[in-house]
Amino acid sequence: MFNLPLMNDNIDKQDIQAVIDFLSQDHIPKLTNGPKVVEFENSWGEWLGTKYNLFVNSGASANELTMLALAHIVGEGEIIVPPLTWISDISSVLFAGHKLVFVDVNFKNLSFDIEKIKAAINSDTKAIFLTHVLGINGLSDELLKICEDNNILLIEDVCESHGTTFKECKVGNFGFASNFSFYFAHHMSTIEGGMISTNNWEFYQICRALRSHGMTREMTSDSMKIAIAMDNPDLNPDFIFLRPAHNFRSTEINAVIGLSQLPKLDIKNQERINNFNYFMSNLDKNKYHTEINTEGNCNYAFIVIMKNADFAERNDLEKKLRNNGIEFRRGLSGGGNQMRQPFFKTKYTDFSNFPNIEHIHNFSWYVGNYPELERNKIDLLIEVLNA
Ligand SMILES: Cc1ncc(COP(=O)(O)O)c(C=O)c1O
């Protein structure tokens, strides 16, 4: 029996010291969204390669703000989502007034089935909301071409895949916008937090306003602010709310932690990649789907997908994992098929066009992978799985 917990907190003593130093200044700094947030946003932009970056209080907030801003810029419409994702990728679409269109995933990169996505596109399609699942690159030339040919925006959810690359470029650079999470056990942490990254100036400005209740005074574009003020001469320009939104801001303390975490990200990611590739190359190819394309991968979890759709075998394996002190989550990101969740069940009952997510829902797990994980623990995990 050994102990392999699902998550290991990224925040270390150095990060805590950075917060103590920040709070111990003679003059107590303003602690809400301020200069440290801007500094973190700029450092993040340098790391990722995007021009405009907006720090928010969670990955779910990044999702919600992105979908709200999209509704503002291109209008409400159909958004194609995978059923293998986190719930906020679904709720953000609904909260912003868009229509959800689910398309099944594939076993090669855990992203959309390309043929099915082609069939799902129509004149109401506004965007494809891709999730890079657990550090696996979900992009392909075909997917990018579909977006380009059909004039559809691509939004990348990179909350589970900081540092993953496609053609040697970090994912999060390919879409119109991308979302990241800094939840405590992700690749890096700000306790709670998220980032929206984009190269589009207008989208960035709208997100700035929507991050603070929709207030246009948060924009840094004078021309946009003036145009909106001129359209609303009866309103005090200090209090113009572009559309109903929430307070998605974070704080200086979270940004200080982010600034301390970011320089360690690439080093820690390399450890995770080494662990993951060792794990995958030793997993029994006859028993598990090992054909997942790991090029450019960067995973904080090991991915296990059974080949056999055998419930007795699955239950037996779960018992063995538990008995060995190995924590796991069935269903990969978000617990499997999101269409099976109570609030959708009534609408979606026929999953015959979704065989892959149905298999993943029942016959897959993720297990924690972190830089400090000892090789003998990975060996034991492999031994239990392969047996
Ligand atoms: C794919 C994906 N998107 C969004 C989120 C939401 O991030 P947060 O927990 O920071 O709200 C998560 C959370 O794990 C996620 O896995």
Side-chain angles (χ1 to χ4, degrees):
M1 171 92 171
F2 72 114
N3 184 26
L4 204 169
L6 199 65
M7 298 172 179
N8 209 19
D9 199 340
N10 275 309
I11 294 172
D12 59 25
K13 286 205 167 136
Q14 194 191 14
D15 305 323
I16 300 298
Q17 192 57 49
V19 174
I20 292 169
D21 292 346
F22 175 68
L23 292 174
S24 310
Q25 297 174 70
D26 290 341
H27 176 72
I28 295 175
K30 188 181 111 181
L31 296 180
T32 185
N33 198 73
K36 284 289 169 196
V37 167
V38 175
E39 200 183 324
F40 179 44
E41 290 169 342
N42 292 339
S43 300
W44 179 260
E46 273 169 35
W47 178 82
L48 182 63
T50 43
K51 274 195 213 160
Y52 312 115
N53 301 279
L54 202 77
F55 186 40
V56 291
N57 51 20
S58 72
S61 295
N63 293 151
E64 196 176 330
L65 242 173
T66 299
M67 286 300 131
L68 282 172
L70 216 61
H72 190 80
I73 291 176
V74 296
E76 292 159 13
E78 294 190 3
I79 309 284
I80 297 178
V81 293
L84 177 62
T85 187
W86 188 248
I87 187 61
S88 54
D89 292 59
I90 310 296
S91 50
S92 59
V93 172
L94 295 173
F95 294 161
H98 300 292
K99 186 180 165 209
L100 283 170
V101 176
F102 285 102
V103 168
D104 201 10
V105 295
N106 70 75
F107 290 118
K108 197 91 206 273
N109 65 3
L110 307 176
S111 168
F112 297 106
D113 178 312
I114 290 292
E115 291 311 313
K116 286 183 181 165
I117 214 166
K118 283 184 195 159
I121 289 170
N122 64 57
S123 56
D124 287 335
T125 309
K126 300 287 185 195
I128 291 174
F129 196 1
L130 166 86
T131 298
H132 296 283
V133 174
L134 295 172
I136 300 295
N137 160 47
L139 286 165
S140 59
D141 286 331
E142 293 98 311
L143 186 66
L144 291 174
K145 189 163 183 324
I146 288 171
C147 292
E148 202 182 316
D149 289 352
N150 294 280
N151 206 14
I152 291 171
L153 298 176
L154 173 71
I155 308 295
E156 292 178 80
D157 185 326
V158 198
C159 289
E160 302 178 357
S161 300
H162 313 50
T164 297
T165 57
F166 174 54
K167 296 190 164 174
E168 294 180 10
C169 176
K170 286 183 187 118
V171 300
N173 274 293
F174 294 86
F176 176 73
S178 55
N179 299 159
F180 291 81
S181 159
F182 304 125
Y183 178 61
F184 95 102
H186 285 186
H187 296 77
M188 65 166 271
S189 176
T190 56
I191 309 175
E192 299 283 356
M195 192 74 80
I196 300 173
S197 297
T198 184
N199 292 319
N200 185 285
W201 176 245
E202 187 196 357
F203 174 81
Y204 169 65
Q205 292 299 325
I206 302 296
C207 284
R208 285 193 68 88
L210 296 179
R211 178 173 66 176
S212 292
H213 312 277
M215 265 191 304
T216 56
R217 71 168 188 235
E218 292 289 324
M219 293 173 160
T220 48
S221 162
D222 286 337
S223 59
M224 283 178 80
K225 268 196 284 201
I226 291 166
I228 293 166
M230 282 172 71
D231 277 348
N232 297 278
D234 54 326
L235 293 177
N236 172 355
D238 283 340
F239 292 104
I240 299 179
F241 300 95
L242 204 55
R243 64 185 287 139
H246 304 291
N247 176 354
F248 296 109
R249 292 186 306 258
S250 187
T251 75
E252 293 289 86
I253 295 172
N254 300 81
V256 166
I257 296 177
L259 281 163
S260 173
Q261 282 264 298
L262 191 52
K264 295 178 273 199
L265 178 60
D266 288 336
I267 301 160
K268 290 192 171 192
N269 277 353
Q270 193 51 54
E271 303 280 337
R272 296 180 198 270
I273 293 168
N274 295 346
N275 288 348
F276 186 88
N277 291 348
Y278 176 78
F279 170 79
M280 262 335 224
S281 61
N282 283 289
L283 204 57
D284 188 334
K285 291 173 183 47
N286 297 318
K287 290 182 177 154
Y288 300 101
H289 281 281
T290 52
E291 71 272 33
I292 297 170
N293 183 3
T294 54
E295 205 178 320
N297 65 313
C298 188
N299 323 71
Y300 65 69
F302 298 121
I303 297 169
V304 185
I305 308 174
M306 278 171 65
K307 279 197 167 162
N308 277 352
D310 183 325
F311 282 98
E313 210 175 283
R314 176 198 82 180
N315 295 345
D316 186 42
L317 182 51
E318 287 194 350
K319 210 161 122 192
K320 291 211 171 81
L321 290 168
R322 256 184 227 111
N323 288 346
N324 278 284
I326 301 167
E327 205 180 344
F328 58 87
R329 289 282 186 276
R330 191 197 302 156
L332 306 184
S333 311
N337 188 355
Q338 289 291 349
M339 293 180 291
R340 284 189 171 272
Q341 294 299 335
F343 41 107
F344 298 116
K345 232 181 202 158
T346 47
K347 274 203 222 163
Y348 300 94
T349 48
D350 178 11
F351 304 119
S352 52
N353 205 22
F354 296 87
N356 294 342
I357 185 60
E358 280 291 273
H359 183 87
I360 287 169
H361 185 84
N362 290 312
F363 304 107
S364 74
W365 305 270
Y366 76 83
V367 179
N369 166 26
Y370 23 86
E372 307 76 26
L373 191 58
E374 299 91 339
R375 191 46 69 88
N376 67 332
K377 289 193 177 178
I378 305 175
D379 283 334
L380 191 71
L381 172 65
I382 293 163
E383 201 182 304
V384 171
L385 290 171
N386 286 352

